Amino acid sequence: SVGREIAEREAVVSTQSTGVRVIIGDYSTFDYATPGLCGVLFQYPNSDGKVIDYSEYIKAAHANKALAACATDLLALTMLTPPGEVGFDIALGSAQRFGVPLGYGGPHAAFFSVKESLKRAIPGRIIGVTRDADNGLAFRLTLQTREQHIKRNKATSNICTAQALLANMAAMYAVYHGAEGLRSIAEKVHFSTCIVAEGARRAGHHIEDGAFFDTLKIKIRSEQAFQDALVNAEIRQINIRIYNDEPNTIGISLDETVTSEDLDDLLFVLGAPSSTNLWQQFKPRDGGILRTKFERTSEYLTHPTFKKYHSEHQLTRYIRELEKKDVSLVHSMIPLGSCTMKLNATSELAPVSRPEFSNIHPFAPNHQTQGYAELIKELHDDLCERGLWGEV
């Protein structure tokens, strides 16, 4: 069962669940006593931006011996009660929020976390802490799930090569900022969203009651105001979500790149007062996470590594120290080279960081993504020609 999920995640679940019946429905009306129910996937926060207390529904799923999983947002979890404390068995999602560009939807590393009793069913690898022959701190592969030396019938994954570069980018982002830095970024995003919500209300628009983090679903007060908002968004070159199944309704999401000028542009779209005036009068109220049951109180990123490297030169030296510990072609031949020798020249990687590539939102309208469309078509044609495929 998938409750108010992101449409793309619904599609992935439906596609990958071969031989398993998938029910996509409303979490609040679903029958958790359904015979054969094995798991329930919730979105936390959901696709409309709302933060919902799922604890009672999780208990209902557990009563039927089903697992409860949530797809969530790492940055939001610096402010929200963590999934384990809510009662979820599994938490998963994209690590894009930790310093990785949008890139028209990817590639991005994923994250996956489970409660203690499920850890040996994780598809991937677990690195454990141990002691070497001299009683020094050492690390080893505690759990390996799929390599050439593991029999297929004993493997829990068919993945040999992970999104290591993207995972390292997200990890170093967390190392650089640490717990306090990430919390500060999250609060900036959340408070900016609260400013937009307050402006929307003052302009006469409707936002449903309840907590949110960085996304708003806004019912515009009239058809004319809705059309004005679309025109204003085009003027200020802002893409907003339009709910085709709900009249005069739009969605707005913010991230850490939002500036005060961006806030003014969004408020202009909504026909609301400027952000400067709102900020001076701002007091967290409807929708604010602070001082509610959803606010996180537990610590995170408590390892010393996340408390040491908060300047550019410190982080650069740390990465260099890690690099010196790794085996490369300057040291020896690399075992299992098919998985580890996919090397790219820096000149080939440089264009990927250009904003024309990296800052394109996956839902941007077609007239803004003609370059990507051309690249995808060329790749499609090349694969069909060289692979003798009729279609990809």
Side-chain angles (χ1 to χ4, degrees):
S1 172
V2 182
R4 204 56 188 177
E5 267 281 359
I6 295 172
E8 288 66 35
R9 191 163 284 130
E10 291 179 356
V12 170
V13 170
S14 298
T15 301
Q16 297 296 326
S17 301
T18 305
V20 178
R21 181 188 175 199
V22 177
I23 303 171
I24 299 175
D26 188 329
Y27 73 93
S28 62
T29 58
F30 178 72
D31 182 8
Y32 294 90
T34 300
L37 182 68
C38 63
V40 186
L41 176 62
F42 301 88
Q43 184 75 36
Y44 175 69
N46 72 14
S47 63
D48 294 336
K50 294 186 68 174
V51 179
I52 296 167
D53 182 1
Y54 293 116
S55 55
E56 292 303 315
Y57 306 103
I58 295 171
K59 292 177 182 177
H62 286 165
N64 195 16
K65 295 183 169 45
L67 295 177
C70 75
T72 188
D73 173 4
L74 284 175
L75 192 63
L77 292 183
T78 65
M79 295 187 70
L80 291 176
T81 305
E85 292 179 20
V86 176
F88 288 110
D89 305 295
I90 302 167
L92 56 102
S94 168
Q96 181 271 322
R97 293 301 291 266
F98 278 16
V100 182
L102 287 170
Y104 201 33
H108 302 133
F111 68 89
F112 190 83
S113 177
V114 302
K115 64 182 184 180
E116 189 77 12
S117 61
L118 298 175
K119 66 183 181 183
R120 293 200 170 272
I122 293 178
R125 303 171 181 85
I126 293 180
I127 308 299
V129 181
T130 185
R131 294 283 175 178
D132 60 20
D134 299 322
N135 202 37
L137 191 66
F139 301 90
R140 64 183 295 273
L141 277 173
T142 305
L143 175 67
Q144 303 175 71
T145 55
R146 184 70 178 106
E147 283 290 358
Q148 283 85 334
H149 58 284
I150 297 179
K151 293 181 180 179
R152 181 173 298 180
N153 63 342
K154 293 185 178 297
T156 58
S157 170
N158 63 355
I159 299 172
C160 293
T161 306
Q163 292 282 20
L165 173 61
L166 287 309
N168 285 335
M169 288 174 67
M172 290 303 114
Y173 187 83
V175 169
Y176 178 75
H177 289 287
E180 292 183 4
L182 291 174
R183 173 76 181 215
S184 177
I185 292 169
E187 287 180 351
K188 175 198 170 186
V189 174
H190 179 56
F191 293 156
S192 297
T193 309
C194 289
I195 289 290
V196 176
E198 182 67 18
R201 292 189 181 98
R202 294 192 183 192
H205 310 312
H206 175 69
I207 298 175
E208 289 185 18
D209 293 337
F212 54 78
F213 172 61
D214 66 352
T215 299
L216 300 170
K217 181 180 179 182
I218 305 171
K219 176 77 170 179
I220 303 300
R221 64 177 183 268
S222 68
E223 172 65 26
Q224 183 58 53
F226 174 72
Q227 295 300 328
D228 291 343
L230 299 185
V231 172
N232 291 339
E234 191 70 25
I235 292 173
R236 296 299 169 93
Q237 297 184 325
I238 295 175
N239 293 329
I240 57 178
R241 177 182 179 183
I242 300 173
Y243 287 82
N244 294 320
D245 57 342
E246 299 183 46
N248 304 335
T249 303
I250 64 172
I252 295 175
S253 292
L254 281 68
D255 65 13
E256 64 276 13
T257 66
V258 168
T259 64
S260 57
E261 290 77 14
D262 294 326
L263 288 179
D264 280 335
D265 287 341
L266 285 169
L267 293 168
F268 169 77
V269 168
L270 297 170
S274 74
S275 62
T276 302
N277 295 332
L278 288 173
W279 190 265
Q280 292 172 348
Q281 306 167 30
F282 175 65
K283 294 180 181 178
R285 56 166 202 139
D286 299 339
I289 294 171
L290 298 182
R291 295 180 292 280
T292 70
K293 64 180 180 180
F294 297 111
E295 183 179 9
R296 179 169 193 148
T297 57
S298 55
E299 293 184 322
Y300 53 94
L301 298 184
T302 56
H303 190 279
T305 298
F306 298 104
K307 301 177 182 180
K308 293 180 180 178
Y309 311 106
H310 299 325
S311 68
E312 186 173 341
H313 78 273
Q314 288 174 327
L315 182 67
T316 303
R317 289 174 179 173
Y318 175 58
I319 294 173
R320 175 61 178 158
E321 286 299 312
L322 294 178
E323 178 191 345
K324 285 159 57 177
K325 296 178 181 179
D326 195 12
V327 63
S328 75
L329 290 176
V330 303
H331 301 100
S332 69
M333 286 301 294
I334 302 176
L336 304 178
S338 64
C339 290
T340 53
M341 293 179 63
K342 299 178 179 68
L343 305 178
N344 294 285
T346 302
S347 60
E348 295 171 326
L349 294 172
V352 178
S353 63
R354 293 175 183 168
E356 295 86 352
F357 283 101
S358 61
N359 291 346
I360 300 296
H361 193 281
F363 300 147
N366 291 338
H367 71 273
Q368 297 177 11
T369 60
Q370 294 176 4
Y372 261 110
E374 183 177 341
L375 288 172
I376 293 170
K377 184 180 185 305
E378 288 180 1
L379 177 60
H380 167 274
D381 293 346
D382 288 345
L383 289 173
C384 289
E385 178 182 346
R386 289 165 175 74
L388 301 177
W389 294 318
E391 193 60 56
V392 178

